[in-house]
Structures are given as structure tokens and as C-alpha cells.
Amino acid sequence: QVQLVESGGGLVQAGGSLRLSCAVSGSIFSINAMGWYRQAPGKQRGLVATITSGGVTNYEDSVKGRFTISRDNAENTVFLQMNSLKPEDTAVYYCYAAVQRVRWYPQQDYWGQGTQVTVSS
């Protein structure tokens, strides 16, 4: 069993900052890619940012320069620092991890329960 627990969402004014955290626990051999996705009302879930186990990052264009993804491999935790927030960033943010539970077995994708981020204008 693998669990992803997110924290750090909330309500913030435009221009403000929030920091999301996601801790992965359970039966884990290794964690490969980790990341954040978001889903706004009436829209499909989309990529925000990802980070490999080696620290290579990838960002959706609209968040480049404002959001920073990082991870603590020792703690199996991924973070998303969100600065200069805009109302269009309002969404439910989901944590993602590609987890290899047993050596020599393929990795599986796991998702957190989601945390609401609301940016007021």
C-alpha cells in the first residue's frame, strides 16, 4: 500500500504565495518521477510541474518563473512553491508519484487526494 498525503493549500490573494507538500509513505523500493497536476472547475486535469529522482524539472508554460518544484528524496516528499499567484491558478492540486514498490517490478502511478488552492482577485 502506498499513500500520498498533501498539505498546504488554501485561500490567498492575487500576488501571494503558497507552498504545497506531498509526503509519500508505505511499501516503497524507489520513487522515480514526482509532480503536481491541477484541475480547475470544468477543465481536465493538467500538468503543473514534474521532477525526476535526479532533480530534472519540467514546468507548464504558464507557471514558469513563478512556481518551483523540489523534492526531498530522504523524506519521500515533493514540494511546490507557488509565488505571484493569479486567479487563474485556482484549482484542486494533485500530487503524483511513480513508485516502484519491489525491485525488478515495474513502477506504478499513485495520486494524492487533492488540495484546493483558491486565489482571489
Side-chain angles (χ1 to χ4, degrees):
Q1 191 79 0
V2 175
Q3 297 86 34
L4 279 68
V5 178
E6 299 143 337
S7 61
L11 173 64
V12 65
Q13 287 189 331
S17 299
L18 284 174
R19 187 176 191 240
L20 305 183
S21 300
C22 174
V24 185
S25 63
S27 176
I28 299 168
F29 174 74
S30 68
I31 302 176
N32 300 316
M34 303 181 81
W36 294 91
Y37 286 68
R38 66 186 177 185
Q39 186 168 17
K43 296 186 177 181
Q44 290 189 327
R45 189 179 300 187
L47 169 74
V48 177
T50 59
I51 184 168
T52 68
S53 56
V56 178
T57 59
N58 179 53
Y59 295 92
E60 192 268 328
D61 285 346
S62 71
V63 307
K64 287 180 180 177
R66 300 188 298 123
F67 291 9
T68 302
I69 190 170
S70 60
R71 63 190 282 174
D72 183 335
N73 290 330
E75 297 294 329
N76 291 336
T77 302
V78 63
F79 306 95
L80 185 68
Q81 178 66 43
M82 304 185 292
N83 298 329
S84 302
L85 282 160
K86 303 176 181 180
E88 51 263 43
D89 295 318
T90 295
V92 177
Y93 283 70
Y94 295 92
C95 171
Y96 155 82
V99 178
Q100 188 179 13
R101 296 185 60 188
V102 179
R103 191 173 183 176
W104 311 124
Y105 276 61
Q107 67 183 35
Q108 294 176 279
D109 297 341
Y110 292 88
W111 294 88
Q113 78 284 358
T115 185
Q116 177 70 45
V117 171
T118 302
V119 184
S120 63
S121 57

